[in-house]
Amino acid sequence: RMGGGAGGAFLGPNQVVDMPVPASRCGLIIGRHGETIRSLQQESGAHIQLNRNAMCGPEEKIFTIGGTPEEISRAQQLIRNKCEMASNVNNHHVGRNEFGQPMMGQMSGQGMYGQQQQQ
């Protein structure tokens, strides 16, 4: 019988959780050559990978996260933070969408820091 305590990668109850992420944020989570997802794994201790077999709509992708409940929770928070940071940047990126194309009628009329834009 193994003793409790320190809790390394192979000790403790490991679980697997699926986390939906907007498809437009998928590349942001993975990063160039997988750099970002590797750093998220390192920081959280969880194993994170894009589930290419998941049944989901075109608007979202599913990431599978494995590890202890604490590692999974940390990974989910890191992924949410990445998605929120991107949303904040995109909201302040005036006049272009994520593909660099001009946007028509999609802006809220607010500029950076929430001031009303002059028309």
Side-chain angles (χ1 to χ4, degrees):
R1 176 168 141 74
M2 299 203 47
F10 301 104
L11 299 177
N14 278 355
Q15 301 173 358
V16 176
V17 171
D18 284 338
M19 180 177 184
V21 172
S24 63
R25 303 287 184 256
C26 189
L28 185 74
I29 302 303
I30 295 170
R32 181 170 287 162
H33 305 296
E35 291 170 10
T36 305
I37 199 167
R38 275 195 297 274
S39 78
L40 293 173
Q41 290 180 106
Q42 211 167 20
E43 192 173 339
S44 67
H47 179 75
I48 307 166
Q49 77 180 57
L50 178 64
N51 184 341
R52 297 183 188 279
N53 299 321
M55 301 300 260
C56 55
E59 297 298 312
E60 72 178 12
K61 300 289 184 189
I62 302 293
F63 281 88
T64 300
I65 306 170
T68 66
E70 294 80 17
E71 291 167 342
I72 290 170
S73 177
R74 179 75 180 133
Q76 289 173 317
Q77 188 58 51
L78 292 169
I79 291 170
R80 275 193 291 272
N81 290 348
K82 275 274 180 223
C83 290
E84 287 170 14
M85 277 185 354
S87 291
N88 291 339
V89 168
N90 284 346
N91 287 343
H92 297 303
H93 191 76
V94 177
R96 300 268 173 193
N97 67 13
E98 63 195 275
F99 305 108
Q101 300 162 330
M103 293 192 299
M104 300 294 179
Q106 295 178 4
M107 297 302 292
S108 67
Q110 291 190 334
M112 290 181 70
Y113 312 111
Q115 297 112 345
Q116 197 67 24
Q117 287 183 350
Q118 298 298 319
Q119 298 296 329

